[in-house]
Amino acid sequence: MTYPPPAASAPLELGFAALALLVAALFVWGAARGSAAAGAAPSRRAAAAAAAGVALWMGATWALAASGTLARFDLRPPPMALMFAVVMAGGLSLGLSPLGRRFALGLPLAALVGAQAFRFPLELLMHRAAAEGVMPAEMSYSGLNLDILTGASALVLAPLIALRRVPLWVAAAWNALGIVLLSVIAAVAVLSSPMVRAFGDDPGHVNTWVCYPPFVWLPAVMVMAALFGHVVVARRLRAERRDGERSDGAAAPGPR
């Protein structure tokens, strides 16, 4: 079956593109700030390197989507499946890399948690996409996707962490919940893909919209950023617990 490009409204397309660019800009800022705090590289050099990498990745995924390559489900393996695998591997590897360590140790915990608030407007956009018939309803919060809770709770939790009003275990529990909710929507995205079609063969229940721009940046930028963020928060919490143990239970030093 051939799946045509989604007939999305201009506000929906602009909203997705703008949010993806905002997330990319936050990543570049974080790379500069974290590198400067760790003394690894001057902030300008780190920002330039991060911006170049982000631009290359976003440009490449946009080009693949615009050319129709990602929608070629006659190929084996399908390019869409390869992109999903690269996104998950990329988010994990970046989070566990030296760059991820600079994010974890160079940025306040409140900023790392607060950055995940982008998932709140993202879920609003995804709900709109489902209402327009662009995205399967199963992928919205009216279906099987509750990831809006991660974004909404980040807006509340980040200021409390900055004010030192919550213990670290609360941030750890929030991070674990966010990982679970991200895993659920990732599973729904795969199950509704043309490779599986778990919710039926009707085009309205098949996830092909992310094969076209600008929606390709949902997995390529925003899912990868969410996964990277969770890994980085986990590394920061581990470092704070380790520092707390060294000081015999005293509060961990450094910014939150």
Side-chain angles (χ1 to χ4, degrees):
M1 179 179 289
T2 300
Y3 299 94
S9 65
L12 181 62
E13 292 185 341
L14 289 173
F16 262 92
L19 186 58
L21 290 171
L22 174 61
V23 171
L26 286 174
F27 177 81
V28 172
W29 174 84
R33 173 78 181 273
S35 294
S43 59
R44 289 184 180 179
R45 184 185 305 170
V54 167
L56 181 62
W57 172 246
M58 293 181 72
T61 52
W62 182 287
L64 286 172
S67 68
T69 301
L70 290 180
R72 291 284 306 276
F73 295 101
D74 57 314
L75 301 177
R76 292 292 179 270
M80 183 182 185
L82 293 176
M83 183 185 70
F84 283 172
V86 170
V87 164
M88 302 308 290
L92 284 171
S93 60
L94 278 175
L96 295 171
S97 71
L99 176 62
R101 184 177 186 275
R102 291 195 288 272
F103 268 78
L105 303 183
L107 296 175
L109 178 59
L112 297 175
V113 171
Q116 297 278 14
F118 80 87
R119 287 153 76 170
F120 180 72
L122 172 59
E123 292 302 327
L124 297 180
L125 287 169
M126 291 175 69
H127 182 73
R128 180 60 191 172
E132 291 188 13
V134 171
M135 180 191 81
E138 290 81 7
M139 294 180 63
S140 74
Y141 60 73
S142 61
L144 302 173
N145 179 9
L146 297 179
D147 197 46
I148 192 171
L149 297 176
T150 306
S153 58
L155 289 170
V156 176
L157 184 58
L160 294 177
I161 292 174
L163 295 172
R164 298 181 181 268
R165 298 291 179 85
V166 294
L168 291 179
W169 70 262
V170 174
W174 170 87
N175 201 46
L177 176 62
I179 293 172
V180 170
L181 294 178
L182 181 63
S183 300
V184 169
I185 182 53
V188 172
V190 172
L191 289 173
S192 58
S193 71
M195 292 92 73
V196 182
R197 300 192 299 277
F199 305 108
D201 295 328
D202 185 276
H205 294 281
V206 181
N207 174 22
T208 58
W209 68 307
V210 295
C211 295
Y212 298 97
F215 308 115
V216 65
W217 284 345
L218 171 59
V221 176
M222 291 181 276
V223 170
M224 183 181 286
L227 180 56
F228 170 80
H230 281 306
V231 175
V232 166
V233 168
R235 295 186 72 175
R236 175 56 179 262
L237 291 171
R238 181 181 179 185
E240 294 229 8
R241 284 194 296 267
R242 185 170 59 245
D243 290 343
E245 292 171 357
R246 288 174 180 172
S247 56
D248 296 325
R256 283 194 179 185

